[in-house]
């Protein structure tokens, strides 16, 4: 009798334990596990990008990168995230001529827009000093003129957060936070930012028409310069701002400074080759109407000023591109109307879908 009642208590207990553990299994949020579901990069009509094979995009990795991109703990005093200098409504660039870092000190260059990074295959920054996007991602954190923080400090701060520890597990299978993992996650988020739905894209897809002025601007943009036939001579912007992203992945000198006025030697500082003096990355012209001011030092406030530069103000130096030097004799001979047409065409490259995309907004 005694033994069997003990037995039934024992069985009841086992049943209870079983029930409790079953209940636990039904609430998977208690168990954080790695989830490597791939992130599919929708590129629409853009050519397929070449994504890094050693950092395949996953939904969780892109999410972690997005958290870090908007994380103010990455800066020394907790006041600044990447997204403070790379604002979505400004095409992930900055409207200040020189971005202000945490020490309230201005940097030396204009913030670059961050989108369609998956199509940049020739290094990062105006001078290309970061080989891969993942190399780039850790530099602003440690730059005294930007976030001015050390990597060990950032890791200590993030390691205090259960939210981050969990997201590192979901992404990498372990809660250990390292600079390498942070860089890979930020690379994933930045690669996921795509702009391919501008008015011009819709025109290419045959969905809409350009206005007469925009269409004239489009022809000026893509037609070669020929001073002997001013009637059919174009502005030949496409010479450098070509292809689906209106850039050529090269470093060039577009004649904004005469030899004696060059203060920033650009690409030469990286390669130490005098032939690279004052050369800068040819930037994409997508979303150009919302990424003012312009050039590596933000010297031009408006697109009209940029067009005036190319039309009649090319300055001579040892490395200025021959195609631009060639226009110096006469200038591009653009009329007031031509200039307006060119600017109107550039405005068709603005992509409101990208500028308002919820997927790129702060996750907090
Ligand atoms: C204080 C402002 C500031 C902050 C904060 C900042 N950036 Fe930047 N970013 C810039 C400037 C300025 C440049 C151009 C620098 C240069 O070329 O020397 C730049 C360039 C870049 C580029 C190069 C794009 C290209 O086409 O080559 C990327 C990518 C980028 N930043 C991502 C980030 C990330 C990720 C963070 C956060 C970890 C960050 N930035 C934080 C100002 C900032
Ligand atoms: C020889 C190559 C070349 C040609 C031709 C050229 N560009 Fe550029 N463009 C560049 C380079 C290089 C830069 C960046 C220079 C810098 O920052 O110092 C640039 C910068 C720009 C910028 C500023 C981008 C930004 O994000 O700040 C605009 C706008 C622009 N070009 C428009 C045009 C237009 C319009 C034409 C035709 C009238 C044109 N470009 C012709 C090479 C060229």
């Amino acid at each position: 009798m005694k033994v069997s009642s003990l037995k039934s208590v024992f069985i009841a207990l086992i049943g209870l334990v079983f029930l409790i553990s079953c209940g636990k299994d039904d609430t998977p949020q208690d168990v954080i596990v790695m989830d490597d579901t791939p992130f599919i990069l929708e590129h629409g009509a853009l050519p397929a990008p070449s994504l890094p094979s050693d950092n395949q995009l996953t939904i969780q990795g892109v999410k972690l990168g997005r958290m870090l991109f908007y994380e103010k703990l990455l800066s020394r005093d907790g006041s600044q995230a990447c997204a403070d200098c790379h604002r979505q409504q400004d095409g992930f660039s900055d409207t200040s001529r020189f971005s202000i870092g945490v020490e309230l000190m201005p940097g030396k260059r204009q913030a670059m827009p961050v989108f369609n990074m998956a199509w940049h295959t020739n290094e990062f920054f105006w001078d290309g000093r970061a080989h891969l996007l993942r190399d780039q991602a850790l530099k602003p954190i440690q730059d005294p003129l930007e976030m001015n923080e050390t990597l060990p400090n950032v890791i200590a701060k993030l390691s205090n957060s259960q939210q981050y520890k969990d997201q590192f597990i979901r992404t990498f299978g372990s809660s250990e936070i390292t600079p390498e993992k942070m860089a890979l996650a930020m690379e994933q988020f930045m690669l996921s930012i795509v702009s391919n739905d501008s008015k011009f894209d819709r025109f290419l897809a045959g969905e809409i028409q350009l206005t007469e002025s925009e269409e004239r601007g489009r022809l000026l943009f893509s037609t070669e310069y020929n001073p002997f036939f001013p009637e059919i001579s174009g502005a030949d912007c496409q010479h450098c701002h070509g292809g689906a992203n209106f850039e050529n992945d090269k470093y060039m000198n577009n004649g904004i400074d005469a030899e004696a006025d060059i203060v920033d030697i650009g690409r030469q500082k990286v390669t130490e080759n005098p032939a690279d003096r004052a050369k800068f990355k040819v930037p994409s012209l997508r979303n150009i109407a919302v990424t003012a001011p312009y050039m590596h030092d933000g010297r031009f406030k408006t697109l009209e000023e940029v067009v005036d530069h190319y039309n009649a103000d090319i300055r001579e130096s040892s490395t200025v591109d021959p195609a631009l030097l060639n226009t110096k004799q006469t200038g591009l001979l653009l009329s007031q109307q031509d200039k307006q047409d060119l600017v109107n065409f550039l405005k068709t490259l603005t992509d409101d879908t990208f500028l308002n995309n919820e997927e790129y907004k702060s996750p907090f």
Side-chain angles (χ1 to χ4, degrees):
M1 243 338 237
K2 240 186 176 177
V3 174
S4 71
S5 71
L6 255 183
K7 226 184 190 174
S8 53
V9 168
F10 187 64
I11 288 168
L13 264 179
I14 288 185
L16 195 65
V17 168
F18 185 69
L19 268 180
I20 291 172
S21 55
C22 270
K24 266 200 174 154
D25 278 358
D26 286 341
T27 51
Q29 63 262 35
D30 284 351
V31 197
I32 309 285
V33 289
M34 185 169 167
D35 171 5
D36 59 1
T37 311
F39 177 97
I40 308 297
L41 193 73
E42 303 285 354
H43 56 84
L46 292 179
S50 53
L51 293 166
S53 57
D54 57 351
N55 188 23
Q56 285 180 4
L57 271 57
T58 63
I59 291 176
Q60 298 301 337
V62 169
K63 185 175 169 195
L64 176 59
R66 180 175 169 195
M67 287 163 69
L68 292 168
F69 194 85
Y70 283 92
E71 183 52 76
K72 290 185 192 287
L73 288 178
L74 263 44
S75 62
R76 187 184 198 96
D77 60 0
S79 68
Q80 195 168 51
C82 310
D84 286 300
C85 292
H86 299 281
R87 285 192 300 262
Q88 185 176 6
Q89 72 265 32
D90 304 321
F92 284 105
S93 73
D94 189 352
T95 49
S96 308
R97 179 165 182 191
F98 300 117
S99 310
I100 306 293
V102 292
E103 304 297 317
L104 302 181
M105 299 264 286
K108 296 189 178 74
R109 290 189 182 145
Q110 225 269 302
M112 304 175 81
V114 179
F115 59 77
N116 294 1
M117 291 287 111
W119 287 268
H120 280 271
T121 50
N122 189 18
E123 317 193 281
F124 298 91
F125 290 122
W126 280 111
D127 52 13
R129 68 187 180 282
H131 181 48
L132 295 169
L133 210 43
R134 70 192 68 163
D135 308 324
Q136 180 284 328
L138 299 177
K139 292 192 199 283
I141 301 176
Q142 303 166 88
D143 187 329
L145 295 180
E146 297 189 1
M147 300 158 107
N148 194 27
E149 182 55 294
T150 67
L151 294 175
N153 279 352
V154 172
I155 288 166
K157 284 189 270 183
L158 296 180
S159 300
N160 279 331
S161 151
Q162 194 59 44
Q163 198 187 3
Y164 273 106
K165 285 202 276 193
D166 290 350
Q167 196 55 32
F168 273 86
I169 297 177
R170 288 190 193 98
T171 308
F172 298 107
S174 145
S175 65
E176 191 204 358
I177 300 178
T178 65
E180 292 73 30
K181 288 182 190 169
M182 288 173 49
L184 291 175
M186 285 195 278
E187 175 171 278
Q188 289 197 27
F189 173 61
M190 290 193 278
L191 288 173
S192 80
I193 304 177
V194 174
S195 173
N196 62 4
D197 193 28
S198 64
K199 180 172 187 184
F200 183 65
D201 292 301
R202 292 182 185 196
F203 160 75
L204 286 183
E207 291 166 19
I208 53 155
Q209 294 201 317
L210 298 182
T211 66
E212 277 178 28
S213 169
E214 289 163 351
E215 176 61 17
R216 283 196 304 268
R218 185 179 77 84
L219 289 174
L220 283 169
F221 188 90
S222 54
T223 306
E224 282 193 12
Y225 162 79
N226 187 338
F228 301 110
F229 297 94
E231 289 312 307
I232 55 157
S233 178
D236 201 15
C237 312
Q238 194 162 279
H239 186 81
C240 303
H241 301 280
N245 279 311
F246 300 87
E247 44 109 342
N248 59 4
D249 251 348
K250 289 190 184 149
Y251 298 85
M252 297 179 110
N253 175 342
N254 67 342
I256 54 179
D257 283 317
E259 196 69 50
D261 300 327
I262 293 171
V263 279
D264 188 337
I265 59 170
R267 185 72 176 155
Q268 186 185 7
K269 197 161 172 222
V270 179
T271 63
E272 294 177 0
N273 181 351
D276 285 332
R277 186 172 165 75
K279 288 189 178 171
F280 294 90
K281 187 187 245 191
V282 175
S284 169
L285 297 185
R286 284 184 174 272
N287 301 296
I288 195 70
V290 300
T291 64
Y294 303 111
M295 307 299 163
H296 69 274
D297 58 2
R299 67 177 64 191
F300 298 131
K301 289 193 201 65
T302 62
L303 287 174
E304 284 77 5
E305 285 177 42
V306 172
V307 170
D308 281 340
H309 158 70
Y310 285 111
N311 186 39
D313 201 18
I314 297 294
R315 314 271 170 106
E316 206 164 336
S317 64
S318 59
T319 55
V320 66
D321 187 81
L324 288 177
L325 209 51
N326 191 26
T327 69
K328 202 174 151 46
Q329 286 290 329
T330 62
L332 291 176
L333 307 166
L334 299 176
S335 68
Q336 210 48 42
Q337 181 66 48
D338 291 341
K339 290 196 238 172
Q340 192 56 53
D341 294 341
L342 207 43
V343 169
N344 285 344
F345 167 68
L346 292 173
K347 289 182 178 168
T348 69
L349 304 180
T350 303
D351 175 356
D352 288 317
T353 310
F354 148 73
L355 294 171
N356 296 298
N357 192 328
E358 296 290 332
E359 300 287 313
Y360 311 146
K361 291 195 173 149
S362 170
F364 301 115

